[in-house]
Amino acid sequence: AQKVTQAQTEISVVEKEDVTLDCVYETRDTTYYLFWYKQPPSGELVFLIRRNSFDEQNEISGRYSWNFQKSTSSFNFTITASQVVDSAVYFCALSEGETSGSRLTFGEGTQLTVNP
Amino acid sequence: DSGVTQTPKHLITATGQRVTLRCSPRSGDLSVYWYQQSLDQGLQFLIHYYNGEERAKGNILERFSAQQFPDLHSELNLSSLELGDSALYFCASSPETGSSSYEQYFGPGTRLTVT
């Protein structure tokens, strides 16, 4: 069965610090997809990134970067020079395209608080 | 704004009652998903519809049902409500064609409170 673990329940940093959110996944499929979503205090879920299991290239988008390592089943998310507006709950999610369709299995989420 | 709309935004009802949550997907998206977010269970997949047909079921209670209409909007029906059904219910849509797993765009959610 698929599983996503976000071991960090809460992280608190001061503005401009870099912060990395950890995500470890379990799956038996060879084809799968990984996602990160942001849930700000307003409650909506905002899509950040999608990565398929065959693409291990790291990705950078502005202050956000993602490190996908198949060998350790991890898909970590780094925010560089954090800002107060980054305060939110961040969810890592997994979709096993072959066995479970496209349903997303979410981790427990990491509450990030960026203090001024 | 994701382009996915959900109504109502908030719903307060009593135990034993029945409610209907509505979702309109992004223009062109054929897939609709329903998820439940609660404090004790986290974010859980309930059900997936693709172009009007049920594709997959997750941890959806028998008291809950859903459907997707020809215009692609979807409704989630919750009946015989219990206190534990209080949660945030999200709808998401995806441009997937069935051969790949695409990102899902979430609506703002419906917060259900059962008293």
Side-chain angles (χ1 to χ4, degrees):
Chain A
Q2 55 193 24
K3 186 179 177 183
V4 177
T5 302
Q6 294 179 254
Q8 304 150 309
T9 306
E10 293 181 29
I11 299 176
S12 183
V13 299
V14 177
E15 213 171 12
K16 295 184 185 170
E17 281 186 33
D18 298 348
V19 57
T20 295
L21 310 182
D22 298 333
C23 172
V24 174
Y25 62 91
E26 293 175 32
T27 176
R28 283 179 288 193
D29 277 5
T30 54
T31 300
Y32 53 89
Y33 301 83
L34 295 162
F35 304 81
W36 276 94
Y37 283 85
K38 173 182 179 180
Q39 187 174 38
S42 50
E44 74 272 24
L45 280 163
V46 179
F47 165 75
L48 295 177
I49 190 171
R50 164 184 174 263
R51 172 69 73 217
N52 73 52
S53 52
F54 298 107
D55 183 2
E56 284 195 73
Q57 279 192 342
N58 291 331
E59 177 145 346
I60 298 174
S61 175
R63 297 184 296 108
Y64 294 171
S65 62
W66 290 269
N67 182 293
F68 176 29
Q69 291 200 339
K70 235 169 160 176
S71 59
T72 56
S73 297
S74 65
F75 186 44
N76 296 336
F77 174 31
T78 297
I79 302 175
T80 303
S82 60
Q83 299 176 1
V84 173
V85 292
D86 295 327
S87 297
V89 180
Y90 290 86
F91 291 94
C92 180
L94 167 70
S95 172
E96 291 175 331
E98 290 178 356
T99 57
S100 302
S102 300
R103 70 180 74 183
L104 294 176
T105 296
F106 286 89
E108 304 87 345
T110 297
Q111 169 74 60
L112 173 65
T113 302
V114 182
N115 298 297
Chain B
D1 186 345
S2 67
V4 178
T5 60
Q6 286 188 250
T7 55
K9 205 162 186 179
H10 301 277
L11 200 48
I12 301 174
T13 188
T15 54
Q17 295 299 302
R18 173 189 168 95
V19 297
T20 297
L21 312 184
R22 183 188 168 103
C23 166
S24 291
R26 295 186 324 156
S27 177
D29 285 356
L30 300 179
S31 267
V32 169
Y33 300 79
W34 286 97
Y35 292 86
Q36 179 195 59
Q37 186 177 29
S38 61
L39 280 174
D40 51 344
Q41 302 276 2
L43 262 165
Q44 288 211 314
F45 166 73
L46 295 178
I47 198 163
H48 170 207
Y49 276 85
Y50 177 75
N51 202 19
E53 291 189 7
E54 182 185 301
R55 267 286 179 94
K57 263 185 174 178
N59 297 325
I60 187 166
L61 300 170
E62 281 191 22
R63 302 183 284 107
F64 295 2
S65 65
Q67 55 185 135
Q68 186 179 26
F69 295 87
D71 67 352
L72 300 177
H73 91 271
S74 177
E75 292 180 357
L76 179 67
N77 300 297
L78 316 176
S79 62
S80 303
L81 285 167
E82 301 174 0
L83 294 177
D85 297 327
S86 295
L88 190 50
Y89 290 85
F90 284 107
C91 162
S93 77
S94 167
E96 72 167 275
T97 60
S99 60
S100 184
S101 184
Y102 290 85
E103 55 272 23
Q104 296 178 20
Y105 293 92
F106 284 76
T110 292
R111 183 166 295 282
L112 173 66
T113 303
V114 182
T115 61

Short mmCIF file of all heavy atoms in Angstrom, two decimals, chain A residues 33 35 37 39 42-47 50 91 95-97 100-107, chain B residues 33 35 37 43-45 48 56-58 88 90 96 99-108:
data_model
loop_
_atom_site.label_atom_id
_atom_site.label_comp_id
_atom_site.label_asym_id
_atom_site.label_seq_id
_atom_site.Cartn_x
_atom_site.Cartn_y
_atom_site.Cartn_z
N TYR A 33 3.66 9.26 -9.14
CA TYR A 33 3.78 10.70 -9.24
C TYR A 33 3.79 11.30 -7.84
O TYR A 33 3.08 10.82 -6.94
CB TYR A 33 2.60 11.27 -10.05
CG TYR A 33 2.50 10.70 -11.44
CD1 TYR A 33 1.88 9.48 -11.65
CD2 TYR A 33 3.06 11.36 -12.52
CE1 TYR A 33 1.81 8.93 -12.93
CE2 TYR A 33 2.99 10.83 -13.79
CZ TYR A 33 2.36 9.61 -13.99
OH TYR A 33 2.30 9.07 -15.24
N PHE A 35 3.69 14.95 -5.49
CA PHE A 35 3.16 16.31 -5.52
C PHE A 35 3.47 17.02 -4.20
O PHE A 35 3.63 16.39 -3.16
CB PHE A 35 1.63 16.28 -5.67
CG PHE A 35 1.13 15.52 -6.88
CD1 PHE A 35 1.04 14.13 -6.85
CD2 PHE A 35 0.73 16.19 -8.02
CE1 PHE A 35 0.57 13.43 -7.95
CE2 PHE A 35 0.25 15.48 -9.12
CZ PHE A 35 0.17 14.10 -9.08
N TYR A 37 1.60 20.33 -2.12
CA TYR A 37 0.52 21.31 -2.05
C TYR A 37 0.73 22.19 -0.83
O TYR A 37 1.28 21.77 0.17
CB TYR A 37 -0.85 20.61 -1.91
CG TYR A 37 -1.37 20.01 -3.19
CD1 TYR A 37 -0.99 18.74 -3.59
CD2 TYR A 37 -2.25 20.72 -4.00
CE1 TYR A 37 -1.48 18.19 -4.78
CE2 TYR A 37 -2.75 20.19 -5.19
CZ TYR A 37 -2.35 18.93 -5.57
OH TYR A 37 -2.83 18.39 -6.73
N GLN A 39 -1.28 24.73 1.92
CA GLN A 39 -2.58 25.10 2.47
C GLN A 39 -2.37 26.30 3.41
O GLN A 39 -2.01 26.14 4.57
CB GLN A 39 -3.24 23.94 3.22
CG GLN A 39 -4.66 24.26 3.65
CD GLN A 39 -5.38 23.06 4.26
OE1 GLN A 39 -4.79 22.26 4.98
NE2 GLN A 39 -6.67 22.92 3.97
N SER A 42 -6.07 30.47 4.97
CA SER A 42 -7.40 30.63 4.36
C SER A 42 -8.04 29.28 4.03
O SER A 42 -9.25 29.20 3.81
CB SER A 42 -7.31 31.49 3.10
OG SER A 42 -6.28 31.00 2.26
N GLY A 43 -7.24 28.21 3.96
CA GLY A 43 -7.80 26.86 3.85
C GLY A 43 -7.76 26.20 2.50
O GLY A 43 -7.89 24.97 2.43
N GLU A 44 -7.56 26.93 1.44
CA GLU A 44 -7.55 26.26 0.14
C GLU A 44 -6.26 25.49 -0.05
O GLU A 44 -5.26 25.75 0.60
CB GLU A 44 -7.73 27.27 -1.00
CG GLU A 44 -6.54 28.14 -1.31
CD GLU A 44 -6.49 29.41 -0.48
OE1 GLU A 44 -7.08 29.43 0.61
OE2 GLU A 44 -5.84 30.36 -0.95
N LEU A 45 -6.28 24.51 -0.94
CA LEU A 45 -5.09 23.71 -1.26
C LEU A 45 -4.53 24.21 -2.59
O LEU A 45 -5.21 24.16 -3.61
CB LEU A 45 -5.45 22.24 -1.35
CG LEU A 45 -5.58 21.49 -0.04
CD1 LEU A 45 -6.32 20.18 -0.22
CD2 LEU A 45 -4.20 21.23 0.57
N VAL A 46 -3.29 24.63 -2.57
CA VAL A 46 -2.67 25.21 -3.76
C VAL A 46 -1.61 24.24 -4.30
O VAL A 46 -0.70 23.86 -3.57
CB VAL A 46 -2.02 26.57 -3.42
CG1 VAL A 46 -1.35 27.15 -4.66
CG2 VAL A 46 -3.06 27.53 -2.85
N PHE A 47 -1.75 23.88 -5.56
CA PHE A 47 -0.79 22.98 -6.20
C PHE A 47 0.54 23.71 -6.39
O PHE A 47 0.60 24.85 -6.85
CB PHE A 47 -1.35 22.54 -7.56
CG PHE A 47 -0.35 21.90 -8.47
CD1 PHE A 47 0.07 20.60 -8.24
CD2 PHE A 47 0.19 22.60 -9.55
CE1 PHE A 47 0.99 20.01 -9.08
CE2 PHE A 47 1.10 22.01 -10.38
CZ PHE A 47 1.52 20.72 -10.15
N ARG A 50 4.40 18.82 -9.52
CA ARG A 50 4.16 17.42 -9.84
C ARG A 50 5.44 16.86 -10.44
O ARG A 50 6.07 17.51 -11.27
CB ARG A 50 3.02 17.29 -10.83
CG ARG A 50 2.91 15.93 -11.54
CD ARG A 50 1.79 16.02 -12.56
NE ARG A 50 1.69 14.82 -13.38
CZ ARG A 50 2.22 14.69 -14.59
NH1 ARG A 50 2.93 15.68 -15.11
NH2 ARG A 50 2.07 13.58 -15.27
N PHE A 91 1.73 19.97 2.24
CA PHE A 91 1.43 18.55 2.11
C PHE A 91 2.20 17.95 0.94
O PHE A 91 2.23 18.51 -0.16
CB PHE A 91 -0.06 18.32 1.86
CG PHE A 91 -0.94 18.62 3.02
CD1 PHE A 91 -1.54 19.86 3.15
CD2 PHE A 91 -1.17 17.66 4.00
CE1 PHE A 91 -2.36 20.15 4.23
CE2 PHE A 91 -1.99 17.93 5.08
CZ PHE A 91 -2.58 19.18 5.20
N SER A 95 0.68 9.62 -5.97
CA SER A 95 -0.33 8.99 -6.81
C SER A 95 0.32 7.83 -7.53
O SER A 95 1.36 8.00 -8.17
CB SER A 95 -0.87 10.01 -7.81
OG SER A 95 -1.70 9.37 -8.75
N GLU A 96 -0.29 6.65 -7.36
CA GLU A 96 0.22 5.46 -8.05
C GLU A 96 -0.62 5.26 -9.30
O GLU A 96 -1.71 4.73 -9.24
CB GLU A 96 0.12 4.23 -7.14
CG GLU A 96 1.07 4.26 -5.98
CD GLU A 96 0.86 3.08 -5.05
OE1 GLU A 96 -0.26 2.58 -4.96
OE2 GLU A 96 1.84 2.67 -4.41
N GLY A 97 -0.11 5.67 -10.43
CA GLY A 97 -0.92 5.65 -11.64
C GLY A 97 -1.37 4.27 -12.07
O GLY A 97 -2.42 4.11 -12.65
N SER A 100 -3.54 2.25 -8.27
CA SER A 100 -4.61 2.90 -7.50
C SER A 100 -5.25 4.06 -8.24
O SER A 100 -5.92 4.87 -7.64
CB SER A 100 -4.04 3.40 -6.17
OG SER A 100 -3.48 2.36 -5.44
N GLY A 101 -5.04 4.13 -9.54
CA GLY A 101 -5.60 5.25 -10.26
C GLY A 101 -4.90 6.53 -9.86
O GLY A 101 -3.75 6.52 -9.44
N SER A 102 -5.62 7.62 -9.98
CA SER A 102 -4.97 8.90 -9.76
C SER A 102 -5.27 9.50 -8.40
O SER A 102 -4.99 10.67 -8.19
CB SER A 102 -5.41 9.87 -10.86
OG SER A 102 -5.04 9.34 -12.11
N ARG A 103 -5.82 8.72 -7.50
CA ARG A 103 -6.11 9.28 -6.18
C ARG A 103 -4.81 9.72 -5.54
O ARG A 103 -3.77 9.11 -5.71
CB ARG A 103 -6.77 8.23 -5.30
CG ARG A 103 -5.82 7.11 -4.88
CD ARG A 103 -6.50 6.10 -4.02
NE ARG A 103 -7.38 5.25 -4.78
CZ ARG A 103 -8.16 4.31 -4.25
NH1 ARG A 103 -8.16 4.13 -2.94
NH2 ARG A 103 -8.94 3.57 -5.00
N LEU A 104 -4.89 10.79 -4.77
CA LEU A 104 -3.74 11.28 -4.03
C LEU A 104 -3.75 10.73 -2.61
O LEU A 104 -4.78 10.78 -1.92
CB LEU A 104 -3.75 12.80 -3.98
CG LEU A 104 -3.57 13.53 -5.32
CD1 LEU A 104 -3.70 15.04 -5.13
CD2 LEU A 104 -2.22 13.19 -5.93
N THR A 105 -2.60 10.20 -2.20
CA THR A 105 -2.41 9.84 -0.80
C THR A 105 -1.53 10.92 -0.19
O THR A 105 -0.40 11.13 -0.65
CB THR A 105 -1.72 8.47 -0.69
OG1 THR A 105 -2.58 7.48 -1.24
CG2 THR A 105 -1.44 8.14 0.77
N PHE A 106 -2.06 11.60 0.81
CA PHE A 106 -1.37 12.73 1.40
C PHE A 106 -0.60 12.32 2.65
O PHE A 106 -0.99 11.40 3.39
CB PHE A 106 -2.37 13.82 1.81
CG PHE A 106 -2.92 14.60 0.64
CD1 PHE A 106 -4.07 14.15 -0.01
CD2 PHE A 106 -2.32 15.76 0.22
CE1 PHE A 106 -4.59 14.87 -1.07
CE2 PHE A 106 -2.83 16.49 -0.84
CZ PHE A 106 -3.97 16.04 -1.49
N GLY A 107 0.50 13.04 2.89
CA GLY A 107 1.15 12.94 4.19
C GLY A 107 0.36 13.74 5.21
O GLY A 107 -0.67 14.34 4.90
N TYR B 33 -12.58 14.71 -8.18
CA TYR B 33 -12.24 13.94 -6.99
C TYR B 33 -12.87 14.61 -5.78
O TYR B 33 -12.98 15.83 -5.72
CB TYR B 33 -10.72 13.91 -6.76
CG TYR B 33 -9.92 13.31 -7.87
CD1 TYR B 33 -9.64 14.04 -9.02
CD2 TYR B 33 -9.42 12.02 -7.77
CE1 TYR B 33 -8.89 13.49 -10.04
CE2 TYR B 33 -8.67 11.47 -8.78
CZ TYR B 33 -8.41 12.21 -9.91
OH TYR B 33 -7.66 11.66 -10.92
N TYR B 35 -12.37 14.76 -1.52
CA TYR B 35 -11.51 14.45 -0.38
C TYR B 35 -12.15 15.02 0.88
O TYR B 35 -12.86 16.03 0.84
CB TYR B 35 -10.12 15.09 -0.54
CG TYR B 35 -9.29 14.51 -1.66
CD1 TYR B 35 -9.41 14.99 -2.97
CD2 TYR B 35 -8.37 13.50 -1.41
CE1 TYR B 35 -8.65 14.46 -3.99
CE2 TYR B 35 -7.60 12.96 -2.43
CZ TYR B 35 -7.75 13.46 -3.71
OH TYR B 35 -6.98 12.93 -4.72
N GLN B 37 -11.08 16.36 4.76
CA GLN B 37 -9.99 16.74 5.66
C GLN B 37 -10.53 16.92 7.07
O GLN B 37 -11.34 17.81 7.32
CB GLN B 37 -9.30 18.03 5.21
CG GLN B 37 -8.07 18.37 6.06
CD GLN B 37 -7.36 19.61 5.56
OE1 GLN B 37 -7.95 20.51 4.99
NE2 GLN B 37 -6.05 19.66 5.77
N LEU B 43 -6.10 14.34 5.39
CA LEU B 43 -6.70 14.47 4.07
C LEU B 43 -6.89 13.08 3.47
O LEU B 43 -5.91 12.38 3.22
CB LEU B 43 -5.79 15.27 3.14
CG LEU B 43 -6.09 16.74 2.97
CD1 LEU B 43 -4.90 17.45 2.35
CD2 LEU B 43 -7.34 16.94 2.13
N GLN B 44 -8.15 12.71 3.23
CA GLN B 44 -8.42 11.36 2.72
C GLN B 44 -9.24 11.39 1.46
O GLN B 44 -10.22 12.14 1.37
CB GLN B 44 -9.18 10.57 3.79
CG GLN B 44 -8.35 10.16 4.98
CD GLN B 44 -8.84 8.86 5.57
OE1 GLN B 44 -10.03 8.68 5.76
NE2 GLN B 44 -7.93 7.96 5.86
N PHE B 45 -8.85 10.56 0.53
CA PHE B 45 -9.57 10.42 -0.73
C PHE B 45 -10.89 9.70 -0.50
O PHE B 45 -10.96 8.70 0.21
CB PHE B 45 -8.69 9.62 -1.71
CG PHE B 45 -9.40 9.09 -2.92
CD1 PHE B 45 -9.78 9.94 -3.94
CD2 PHE B 45 -9.70 7.75 -3.03
CE1 PHE B 45 -10.44 9.46 -5.06
CE2 PHE B 45 -10.35 7.25 -4.15
CZ PHE B 45 -10.72 8.11 -5.16
N HIS B 48 -13.66 9.15 -6.97
CA HIS B 48 -13.20 9.77 -8.21
C HIS B 48 -14.19 9.48 -9.33
O HIS B 48 -14.59 8.33 -9.52
CB HIS B 48 -11.81 9.22 -8.56
CG HIS B 48 -11.31 9.57 -9.93
ND1 HIS B 48 -10.42 8.78 -10.62
CD2 HIS B 48 -11.57 10.64 -10.74
CE1 HIS B 48 -10.16 9.34 -11.78
NE2 HIS B 48 -10.84 10.47 -11.87
N ALA B 56 -13.00 5.30 -9.04
CA ALA B 56 -12.36 4.69 -7.87
C ALA B 56 -13.04 5.18 -6.61
O ALA B 56 -13.55 6.29 -6.55
CB ALA B 56 -10.88 5.03 -7.83
N LYS B 57 -13.02 4.29 -5.61
CA LYS B 57 -13.58 4.63 -4.30
C LYS B 57 -12.50 4.49 -3.27
O LYS B 57 -11.72 3.53 -3.29
CB LYS B 57 -14.72 3.67 -3.96
CG LYS B 57 -16.10 4.17 -4.28
CD LYS B 57 -17.13 3.18 -3.78
CE LYS B 57 -18.52 3.75 -3.97
NZ LYS B 57 -19.57 2.83 -3.56
N GLY B 58 -12.49 5.41 -2.34
CA GLY B 58 -11.55 5.32 -1.23
C GLY B 58 -12.30 4.99 0.04
O GLY B 58 -13.21 4.17 0.04
N LEU B 88 -13.74 19.38 6.56
CA LEU B 88 -13.64 20.21 5.36
C LEU B 88 -13.66 19.25 4.18
O LEU B 88 -12.86 18.31 4.12
CB LEU B 88 -12.33 21.00 5.41
CG LEU B 88 -12.06 22.10 4.40
CD1 LEU B 88 -13.21 23.07 4.30
CD2 LEU B 88 -10.78 22.84 4.78
N PHE B 90 -13.24 18.74 0.24
CA PHE B 90 -12.67 19.34 -0.95
C PHE B 90 -13.09 18.56 -2.20
O PHE B 90 -13.16 17.34 -2.20
CB PHE B 90 -11.14 19.30 -0.89
CG PHE B 90 -10.52 20.30 0.02
CD1 PHE B 90 -9.97 19.91 1.22
CD2 PHE B 90 -10.47 21.64 -0.33
CE1 PHE B 90 -9.37 20.83 2.07
CE2 PHE B 90 -9.89 22.58 0.51
CZ PHE B 90 -9.34 22.16 1.71
N GLU B 96 -6.60 14.96 -16.45
CA GLU B 96 -6.10 13.65 -16.85
C GLU B 96 -6.97 13.02 -17.92
O GLU B 96 -8.19 13.20 -17.97
CB GLU B 96 -6.04 12.72 -15.64
CG GLU B 96 -7.39 12.28 -15.15
CD GLU B 96 -7.26 11.14 -14.16
OE1 GLU B 96 -7.19 9.98 -14.60
OE2 GLU B 96 -7.27 11.41 -12.96
N SER B 99 -4.58 8.07 -18.91
CA SER B 99 -3.34 7.35 -19.14
C SER B 99 -2.20 7.89 -18.31
O SER B 99 -1.10 7.38 -18.35
CB SER B 99 -2.96 7.44 -20.62
OG SER B 99 -2.77 8.80 -20.98
N SER B 100 -2.45 8.94 -17.58
CA SER B 100 -1.39 9.50 -16.75
C SER B 100 -2.01 10.19 -15.55
O SER B 100 -3.22 10.37 -15.50
CB SER B 100 -0.57 10.51 -17.57
OG SER B 100 0.51 10.98 -16.81
N SER B 101 -1.21 10.49 -14.61
CA SER B 101 -1.72 11.13 -13.41
C SER B 101 -1.30 12.59 -13.42
O SER B 101 -0.12 12.89 -13.35
CB SER B 101 -1.16 10.41 -12.18
OG SER B 101 -1.70 10.94 -11.01
N TYR B 102 -2.26 13.46 -13.51
CA TYR B 102 -1.98 14.87 -13.58
C TYR B 102 -2.24 15.55 -12.25
O TYR B 102 -2.85 15.00 -11.36
CB TYR B 102 -2.84 15.53 -14.66
CG TYR B 102 -2.44 15.12 -16.05
CD1 TYR B 102 -2.93 13.95 -16.62
CD2 TYR B 102 -1.58 15.90 -16.80
CE1 TYR B 102 -2.55 13.56 -17.89
CE2 TYR B 102 -1.20 15.52 -18.08
CZ TYR B 102 -1.69 14.34 -18.61
OH TYR B 102 -1.32 13.96 -19.85
N GLU B 103 -1.78 16.79 -12.16
CA GLU B 103 -2.03 17.54 -10.95
C GLU B 103 -3.53 17.75 -10.78
O GLU B 103 -4.26 17.88 -11.76
CB GLU B 103 -1.32 18.90 -10.97
CG GLU B 103 -1.62 19.77 -12.17
CD GLU B 103 -0.70 19.51 -13.34
OE1 GLU B 103 -0.12 18.40 -13.42
OE2 GLU B 103 -0.57 20.40 -14.18
N GLN B 104 -3.95 17.81 -9.55
CA GLN B 104 -5.33 18.06 -9.22
C GLN B 104 -5.44 19.48 -8.66
O GLN B 104 -4.65 19.88 -7.82
CB GLN B 104 -5.84 17.03 -8.21
CG GLN B 104 -5.82 15.62 -8.78
CD GLN B 104 -6.26 14.57 -7.79
OE1 GLN B 104 -6.92 14.85 -6.79
NE2 GLN B 104 -5.90 13.33 -8.07
N TYR B 105 -6.43 20.19 -9.15
CA TYR B 105 -6.67 21.56 -8.71
C TYR B 105 -7.86 21.55 -7.77
O TYR B 105 -8.94 21.05 -8.13
CB TYR B 105 -6.89 22.47 -9.91
CG TYR B 105 -5.66 22.62 -10.75
CD1 TYR B 105 -5.42 21.75 -11.83
CD2 TYR B 105 -4.70 23.57 -10.44
CE1 TYR B 105 -4.26 21.85 -12.58
CE2 TYR B 105 -3.54 23.69 -11.21
CZ TYR B 105 -3.33 22.83 -12.25
OH TYR B 105 -2.18 22.94 -13.00
N PHE B 106 -7.65 22.07 -6.59
CA PHE B 106 -8.65 21.98 -5.55
C PHE B 106 -9.54 23.21 -5.47
O PHE B 106 -9.08 24.34 -5.66
CB PHE B 106 -7.97 21.77 -4.20
CG PHE B 106 -7.47 20.36 -3.99
CD1 PHE B 106 -6.32 19.92 -4.62
CD2 PHE B 106 -8.17 19.48 -3.17
CE1 PHE B 106 -5.86 18.62 -4.45
CE2 PHE B 106 -7.71 18.18 -2.99
CZ PHE B 106 -6.56 17.75 -3.63
N GLY B 107 -10.79 22.95 -5.15
CA GLY B 107 -11.71 24.03 -4.85
C GLY B 107 -11.45 24.57 -3.45
O GLY B 107 -10.62 24.04 -2.72
N PRO B 108 -12.18 25.61 -3.04
CA PRO B 108 -11.97 26.24 -1.74
C PRO B 108 -12.48 25.41 -0.57
O PRO B 108 -12.17 25.70 0.58
CB PRO B 108 -12.75 27.55 -1.84
CG PRO B 108 -13.78 27.28 -2.87
CD PRO B 108 -13.17 26.32 -3.84
#
